[in-house]
Amino acid sequence: MPTKPKIMIVDDEPDNLDLLYRTFRRDFQVFRADVPINALKILEQEGEMAVIISDQSMPEMTGTEFLMKIKEKFPHTMRILLTGYSDDSLEEEGNQMNGAELFKCITKPFDPQELKAIVQQAAEIYQTAKASNVTL
């Protein structure tokens, strides 16, 4: 049986972590972190993830700042940002988001099935890129 792709969910809201875990647990090996610092510790232990989904608004650092750090260390990992901000607010953070080279930016509330399809697509792109040794 092939190994499930590894994904990480980073969100400081326990309800969101639980919802996202339930959404992905059947198809992925899911790692959860309540703050970016804990996510970085998990990455040190577990290594590269296929996909990381991070909330934007968190203590210590924003999701964009966290995903920029991930890009430096794990350039193949597909990065998805969840945000409750409107499009107008997002424009202000556009440069930071570009620096994180996001695969997708998803506005809350989101449809779990749509997000699942996006993450599945991201995982497939990750696996293809890794097999071809292409940096995304």
Side-chain angles (χ1 to χ4, degrees):
M1 182 173 171
T3 308
K4 293 179 185 179
K6 294 193 297 186
I7 69 168
M8 178 179 281
I9 303 159
V10 186
D11 198 317
D12 61 327
E13 295 180 32
D15 290 346
N16 287 344
L17 275 180
D18 289 344
L19 170 65
L20 291 165
Y21 176 77
R22 288 190 315 273
T23 300
F24 297 114
R25 70 177 180 216
R26 294 187 200 281
D27 301 312
F28 299 94
Q29 187 178 355
V30 182
F31 296 85
R32 296 180 273 191
D34 56 353
V35 291
I37 299 302
N38 291 342
L40 293 170
K41 289 176 186 173
I42 292 168
L43 288 166
E44 283 178 26
Q45 293 176 334
E46 297 295 330
E48 186 173 58
M49 302 283 159
V51 181
I52 295 180
I53 304 164
S54 178
D55 185 37
Q56 173 64 3
S57 180
M58 292 185 288
E60 301 170 9
M61 73 177 81
T62 66
T64 315
E65 291 167 337
F66 167 68
L67 292 172
M68 285 175 73
K69 287 180 182 269
I70 297 309
K71 180 185 151 262
E72 292 171 17
K73 190 162 185 167
F74 301 109
H76 291 100
T77 296
M78 303 300 287
R79 296 164 297 281
I80 297 174
L81 185 71
L82 296 178
T83 181
Y85 297 132
S86 67
D87 289 340
D88 295 338
S89 299
L90 290 176
E91 277 184 41
E92 296 172 16
E93 297 187 18
N95 289 337
Q96 257 194 343
M97 287 185 186
N98 289 339
E101 295 181 16
L102 301 176
F103 176 67
K104 289 277 186 189
C105 182
I106 311 288
T107 304
K108 295 178 186 178
F110 55 85
D111 178 300
Q113 292 308 311
E114 285 179 28
L115 181 59
K116 191 173 180 179
I118 289 167
V119 170
Q120 188 66 48
Q121 179 187 19
E124 290 169 10
I125 292 169
Y126 166 83
Q127 290 171 327
T128 301
K130 280 298 273 190
S132 305
N133 200 25
V134 173
T135 303
L136 301 170

